[in-house]
Amino acid sequence: NGTVTAISAGSATITVTTSNGKTDRTEVTVLSAPEWVKFTEDYVEIGAFQTHQLAVETNTGTADGLAFSSSDSWVATVSEDGMVTGVAPGEATITASTAIEGIAAQMSVKVLPAPKAVKFKPSKMTLNVGDTVLLMPVITKGSATGFTYSSSAPEVAAVAGDGTLSALSMGEATVTVTTSNSLTANLKV
């Protein structure tokens, strides 16, 4: 019937022959099944609309062949490669399981609500060339963090992904912060 069953780790050549004598071959590699699996984090907190790549360890050193699932896809979904996406506030359990029954790992994911507002306080800042400052946007209390930053004049004021603002030359720039749900606020520098 053409079904190939893995018996043990190794490689094998599968040959198929038709009734008129035509043949074809393919190489099949069977990997060792993991004896244990664990997440590298016990708990993840993300916001609605945010993603987080989960990392898994096994005794075989590879996460190939693992199946990921979410206990509540209304709260968080997980892709076949372990990318979790926050859907709505709440908690869900993510499971990574092997083909062997009983060998699995679980972790909790808490999804925080998306911010309802974001602002810079103050909304204007004066820096000297060479100064650096860590930006701290103000968001709705209890909501998810996770921002992207941009500068209208990066040659004047450059901003890194973690919110570190560097004054590079004299001039003016507008720094924009964007939340995971696309709210924005501007800071005049």
Side-chain angles (χ1 to χ4, degrees):
N1 69 5
T3 302
V4 176
T5 303
I7 305 296
S8 64
S11 296
T13 301
I14 306 295
T15 304
V16 62
T17 305
T18 64
S19 59
N20 64 352
K22 304 278 185 191
T23 62
D24 197 9
R25 292 178 177 77
T26 190
E27 189 74 21
V28 175
T29 301
V30 176
L31 303 174
S32 296
E35 295 172 10
W36 56 264
V37 58
K38 70 177 185 174
F39 286 101
T40 59
E41 303 166 285
D42 295 325
Y43 179 80
V44 170
E45 194 172 271
I46 60 175
F49 311 108
Q50 289 181 319
T51 60
H52 180 80
Q53 180 63 54
L54 299 175
V56 179
E57 295 176 346
T58 68
N59 65 299
T60 60
T62 178
D64 292 342
L66 293 179
F68 292 91
S69 61
S70 172
S71 65
D72 190 344
S73 60
W74 292 101
V75 172
T77 61
V78 61
S79 68
E80 63 185 31
D81 65 348
M83 180 69 76
V84 174
T85 302
V87 177
E91 292 199 34
T93 300
I94 303 298
T95 302
S97 55
T98 68
I100 300 171
E101 189 173 329
I103 299 179
Q106 293 186 325
M107 70 170 303
S108 294
V109 174
K110 182 175 184 179
V111 179
L112 297 172
K116 293 183 177 152
V118 62
K119 64 182 175 182
F120 282 111
K121 195 172 181 181
S123 60
K124 294 180 184 177
M125 182 180 292
T126 301
L127 299 172
N128 294 315
V129 174
D131 286 352
T132 61
V133 64
L134 181 61
L135 299 178
M136 305 273 287
V138 178
I139 57 172
T140 313
K141 186 174 181 175
S143 59
T145 59
F147 308 108
T148 57
Y149 297 91
S150 62
S151 172
S152 65
E155 68 282 0
V156 173
V159 62
D162 67 353
T164 301
L165 178 65
S166 300
L168 302 178
S169 65
M170 291 182 57
E172 294 183 357
T174 299
V175 174
T176 302
V177 62
T178 305
T179 65
S180 60
N181 59 332
S182 302
L183 300 177
T184 62
N186 292 321
L187 172 68
K188 300 289 184 189
V189 181

